[in-house]
Amino acid sequence: MNQFEDQLRRALRPVDPPAGFVERTLALAGEPQRKRPPRRLLQFPRYAMALAASLALAVFGLQYREYQQGQQAKEQLMTALHITGSQLTQIQAKVVPANAEK
Amino acid sequence: MSHLAAIPATATTAARADFEQIVREHSAMVFSIAWHYLHDRALAEEVAQDVFLQLHRDLDRVEDAGHVKHWLRRVATHRCIDQVRARKTRAQVALEDAPPLAAVEREADPLMSRLLQRLVASLPPQARMMIVLRYQEEMDPMEIAETLGIPARTVRTRLHRALHLLREKAARQQREVNS
């Protein structure tokens, strides 16, 4: 056995698991129907889902605002057209009898 | 309250007692394989727990104490390799977070041990596992080959190469420190 391999053996000596490991493992073994979720696999999707939901809300909010502005513009245009139409009708009502008198 | 009370009634009392005994006896071995391979304390605990939970499900198939140790080593080894493959990550070397040594004796050269742990963590996954099994578990190349499901000759060759690489890197780093 050479010295380097002895050093390697010392470096790779067994280590104790964190405190309470045995108790936690036994407790988990007692819950067969509740499958433990893989901790790290779920962390990323949770954050990703929250981020995606925030982005979707922001996009939806912007689109709804644009839709509302469009609706307002449409209503204003319709009102303007309506007023213009009424005024044209009034003018026509005045012009047509005047021409008829001539 | 005993944790055994939580284990389902389908398991016999003897089996439950056996399981607790097995976890207590082999937790350091299983956790150490995962820790030396993954260098991530939380992940190592997660892998070690999964190994014992799988044993709990397959307890009926375990023949004797010798088989348990062999079974645990094999499953821990494959779980660790699967973890690294699934995440395609290299080992995280956070050695400041290193757990306490199980052995009572103090290290002769803690700096050298940390350097070697770091160098082992930098090895390719299969070679890293071979080194862990060889020097943590004192397994011979034939046992390692059986555990990993590869020819013994391949294990000998890769172990030899890995050792050579580790020696060279360690010597280079020591020269850099001394210069």
Side-chain angles (χ1 to χ4, degrees), chain A residues 2 5 9 15 24 36, chain B residues 32 45 50 135 138 167:
Chain A
N2 68 39
E5 284 182 296
R9 198 163 277 113
V15 291
R24 285 193 293 278
R36 184 164 60 95
Chain B
S32 297
E45 176 169 354
D50 284 345
Y135 294 101
E138 301 283 349
R167 250 193 216 108

Side-chain angles (χ1 to χ4, degrees), chain B residues 38-170:
Chain B
L38 299 165
H39 281 277
D40 179 321
R41 197 175 163 89
L43 191 54
E45 176 169 354
E46 190 180 310
V47 167
Q49 274 183 344
D50 284 345
V51 171
F52 284 114
L53 293 180
Q54 189 177 335
L55 174 72
H56 183 255
R57 289 192 293 271
D58 297 346
L59 203 55
D60 294 342
R61 295 185 211 166
V62 177
E63 294 153 14
D64 53 48
H67 185 213
V68 166
K69 192 172 183 181
H70 174 79
W71 189 97
L72 287 170
R73 273 177 179 162
R74 190 166 51 78
V75 174
T77 298
H78 288 280
R79 289 269 173 151
C80 288
I81 292 170
D82 289 347
Q83 278 289 336
V84 170
R85 278 188 189 150
R87 286 161 198 205
K88 291 183 180 166
T89 54
R90 295 191 76 81
Q92 298 291 311
V93 189
L95 297 174
E96 301 74 30
D97 194 30
L101 290 164
V104 180
E105 59 170 319
R106 303 302 304 163
E107 289 177 63
D109 185 353
L111 286 178
M112 184 61 179
S113 286
R114 286 186 182 214
L115 169 66
L116 287 176
Q117 286 169 351
R118 214 170 282 134
L119 294 178
V120 169
S122 72
L123 288 172
Q126 201 179 50
R128 195 191 323 159
M129 185 52 87
M130 287 177 190
I131 292 285
V132 170
L133 294 176
R134 179 78 186 94
Y135 294 101
Q136 181 200 302
E137 288 303 301
E138 301 283 349
M139 289 166 74
D140 61 39
M142 196 67 92
E143 289 174 306
I144 296 172
E146 200 183 312
T147 302
L148 293 175
I150 54 175
R153 181 178 285 191
T154 308
V155 173
R156 283 193 196 95
T157 310
R158 290 190 185 164
L159 265 177
H160 182 73
R161 276 191 207 148
L163 264 180
H164 182 70
L165 194 67
L166 286 173
R167 250 193 216 108
E168 272 193 346
K169 282 186 173 179

Side-chain angles (χ1 to χ4, degrees), chain A residues 2-90:
Chain A
N2 68 39
Q3 194 192 349
F4 184 76
E5 284 182 296
D6 280 342
Q7 286 172 328
L8 203 50
R9 198 163 277 113
R10 276 196 293 273
L12 298 177
R13 273 187 305 190
V15 291
D16 283 328
F21 172 82
V22 173
E23 289 72 23
R24 285 193 293 278
T25 305
L26 292 173
L28 281 170
E31 300 170 3
Q33 52 287 63
R34 209 187 82 190
K35 196 176 176 184
R36 184 164 60 95
R39 181 179 55 85
R40 291 186 175 208
L41 287 177
L42 278 183
Q43 270 180 358
F44 173 68
R46 272 186 196 157
Y47 288 122
M49 280 167 68
L51 187 65
S54 306
L55 279 172
L57 272 175
V59 169
F60 176 77
L62 279 174
Q63 283 184 339
Y64 184 69
R65 199 174 154 190
E66 281 175 11
Y67 170 78
Q68 273 190 323
Q69 284 174 344
Q71 286 296 106
Q72 277 179 350
K74 189 178 162 186
E75 277 174 24
Q76 284 172 353
L77 180 66
M78 292 304 289
T79 308
L81 286 172
H82 183 71
I83 292 167
T84 310
S86 310
Q87 285 174 342
L88 281 172
T89 308
Q90 285 172 6

